[in-house]
Amino acid sequence: MTIAYKTDMYCINQTGSLPQRSTVDAALSLNHWIRESHFAGKKVSSVFLDVKGGFDNVNHKKLIDLLGANEKVPEYLADWISNFIWTREIALAYPGSPRTQNVVNKGTPEGSPLSPLLFIIYVRSLHPDGEQTDTFTSSYVDDFQIAVSSPSWYRNTRILEERVRGINSAAASLGLSFSIGKTEMMHWRTRREKGDRSECRIMFQSHVVQPAGKAIKWLGFWLTDNGETSTHFTKRLALAQAAFLRIQRLSMPGKGLTPYGARRLAKGIILPILLYGAEIFDPTVTMIDKMQKFWNRVLRWITNAFYATNITVVSAEACLAPIKLYMRQTRKMTAVRITTAIPSNNIGTAMLPVGYPVVDDYRYPTNRRQAFDNNKGGIRPKVWISTSMTSAQVPLPIDEVGAIAASFTPQDPSR
């Protein structure tokens, strides 16, 4: 992992199976890029791609050649990886089969912690080199997204078709392909935009990809075209309720699990399902109330308390806080993680405004300058203002994360 990082064998746009890079960073950076492009007065569209059978189609020879072509990769490491993936055979076992051993020349070993890293290195070339402010490509292991911005939806689709052809051609050279059935497209709108949604579509491998409706699911996040969050948390609430229906049978009044065991199940299973996405999304007051009502049911199940019992007492007895406090804690922990990461190693950190106190000065190229030059009222501050802890009157998603961290952490990253 250290050698791969020092030798630039993967890029900043790749997340997943790498330290300090998660689904939160992928979704947050995409949301930020979309909002920033909207502030620049542009239309934004995205296409989401999924590599078909990614790990199973890694060509051994091409991977070894890729490692060998990098002069910074030690020869012993390339030889070790070659031995790790080459010396494998497979045989079909069924009644009467000859069980003939055949050499496996594709795929990385399933279940190995090294396999995801090898795949990320293998698909590094699918990410374009060079700085582009009109296109943003990111991935989470084998899930890719390409976002483009321009003055019109139609021009976006033409640019997307060109980008998709390019990435599809690069994937074909590696022996990979994208799943047509899992390819989706979304035209992003601002909250003020009303009326019919754009019907502009793209062609992908002789198939027409129609734009999605109001929401699209990516990496477990339900992303809506206008940025509202109720859809996502409604889905998370439904999943948490389904999980609760299954596990509550394990502890009935007077029998089953102890309250301590029930509490561990609630905190280890139900709470993470319910709070997924709270790192970057702010639920509405109505949505928080719905989630709290469900959480109250869970607390009463843990403590076997009567329905009329004061919920504050039940919460204290179960040693579990209200949902709103957990959300606040999650946002703060995420803010600290992103603002203390290395910008050259985390796409979210690299999108923080210039002047924000981080460990180095690297910044990912975005539409920030044009966004605040074109915004209503003339030029807005394009850099971080430590006195007001903001970079604009209407802060962007990652700017909000920076403001949360700055409110309770030292402004000197060396402290």
Side-chain angles (χ1 to χ4, degrees):
M1 185 71 74
T2 303
I3 294 175
Y5 172 71
K6 292 182 178 179
T7 56
D8 296 326
M9 299 182 71
Y10 55 84
C11 67
I12 190 174
N13 302 66
Q14 293 176 284
T15 58
S17 302
L18 296 170
Q20 299 185 19
R21 305 189 190 191
S22 66
T23 57
V24 172
D25 301 309
L28 178 62
S29 59
L30 174 60
N31 190 28
H32 179 91
W33 196 88
I34 292 169
R35 288 279 299 279
E36 202 170 58
S37 298
H38 281 158
F39 279 177
K42 299 180 179 180
K43 304 291 186 181
V44 187
S45 304
S46 297
V47 63
F48 298 89
L49 306 167
D50 181 83
V51 179
K52 187 189 302 182
F55 286 20
D56 296 334
N57 290 307
V58 173
N59 188 290
H60 294 171
K61 186 178 184 305
K62 291 182 179 180
L63 176 60
I64 298 304
D65 291 344
L66 184 65
L67 295 173
N70 193 330
E71 298 179 352
K72 297 179 181 180
V73 177
E75 184 177 352
Y76 76 87
L77 182 61
D79 293 340
W80 183 85
I81 294 176
S82 175
N83 182 71
F84 173 71
I85 62 177
W86 270 107
T87 58
R88 295 182 181 273
E89 297 180 341
I90 189 174
L92 295 178
Y94 55 88
S97 68
R99 304 203 177 203
T100 304
Q101 298 289 332
N102 296 289
V103 177
V104 178
N105 58 10
K106 277 189 176 183
T108 54
E110 186 176 352
S112 169
L114 185 60
S115 296
L117 178 60
L118 293 179
F119 180 79
I120 288 173
I121 294 173
Y122 189 67
V123 299
R124 166 65 178 86
S125 59
L126 301 186
H127 289 270
D129 293 322
E131 298 183 353
Q132 297 177 320
T133 57
D134 63 337
T135 305
F136 175 58
T137 303
S138 62
S139 66
Y140 184 87
V141 190
D142 59 348
D143 291 307
F144 284 74
Q145 74 79 27
I146 305 173
V148 299
S149 62
S150 74
S152 69
W153 304 119
Y154 177 79
R155 180 167 175 78
N156 281 352
T157 56
R158 303 286 76 81
I159 298 174
L160 279 177
E161 284 186 344
E162 180 182 348
R163 298 287 188 270
V164 168
R165 281 196 297 267
I167 194 173
N168 192 49
S169 176
S173 66
L174 296 174
L176 302 174
S177 62
F178 293 102
S179 173
I180 297 176
K182 294 182 179 180
T183 301
E184 298 178 285
M185 184 179 66
M186 173 68 82
H187 294 304
W188 308 102
R189 308 194 299 176
T190 65
R191 297 195 177 187
R192 294 183 178 181
E193 288 185 85
K194 306 295 181 182
D196 297 334
R197 294 179 171 84
S198 172
E199 296 295 332
C200 294
R201 54 195 181 181
I202 64 172
M203 293 292 296
F204 175 59
Q205 297 180 3
S206 302
H207 290 76
V208 177
V209 180
Q210 298 283 358
K214 179 181 178 181
I216 192 170
K217 185 181 180 182
W218 189 56
L219 304 181
F221 299 95
W222 285 92
L223 308 176
T224 56
D225 60 348
N226 62 356
E228 61 90 11
T229 62
S230 294
T231 300
H232 171 79
F233 285 108
T234 299
K235 300 286 186 180
R236 300 312 303 180
L237 178 58
L239 289 174
Q241 289 172 336
F244 179 57
L245 286 175
R246 288 174 173 83
I247 68 173
Q248 72 176 144
R249 303 171 188 171
L250 301 175
S251 178
M252 305 297 288
K255 59 181 179 179
L257 294 175
T258 63
Y260 175 72
R263 179 187 180 276
R264 293 189 64 180
L265 283 177
K267 193 169 184 180
I269 298 177
I270 299 175
L271 192 61
I273 295 175
L274 196 59
L275 294 181
Y276 185 77
E279 300 91 344
I280 58 177
F281 294 146
D282 275 328
T284 62
V285 175
T286 303
M287 196 68 240
I288 291 179
D289 290 341
K290 291 181 180 179
M291 297 169 73
Q292 184 60 51
K293 287 179 180 178
F294 164 70
W295 189 239
N296 293 345
R297 285 178 54 202
V298 177
L299 297 180
R300 291 192 173 94
W301 169 71
I302 294 172
T303 59
N304 285 324
F306 292 109
Y307 185 81
T309 306
N310 188 295
I311 195 60
T312 304
V313 176
V314 176
S315 179
E317 184 69 19
C319 296
L320 292 172
I323 284 297
K324 191 172 183 179
L325 294 183
Y326 280 121
M327 287 191 169
R328 192 178 303 168
Q329 179 195 33
T330 302
R331 287 296 297 271
K332 288 184 176 181
M333 291 177 64
T334 302
V336 170
R337 181 182 64 81
I338 290 177
T339 55
T340 56
I342 302 173
S344 57
N345 187 51
N346 187 291
I347 186 67
T349 310
M351 287 186 174
L352 284 166
V354 175
Y356 193 90
V358 289
V359 294
D360 65 45
D361 296 330
Y362 174 79
R363 291 295 184 275
Y364 189 83
T366 62
N367 291 304
R368 180 177 293 272
R369 177 171 292 276
Q370 185 178 358
F372 292 112
D373 282 350
N374 292 355
N375 201 15
K376 286 189 279 186
I379 296 178
R380 299 277 194 244
K382 309 172 191 64
V383 298
W384 184 259
I385 303 174
S386 59
T387 55
S388 60
M389 293 191 299
T390 184
S391 59
Q393 289 185 358
V394 183
L396 295 165
I398 291 182
D399 297 26
E400 292 178 359
V401 171
I404 292 172
S407 64
F408 63 92
T409 57
Q411 293 299 293
D412 183 2
S414 62
R415 292 174 60 185

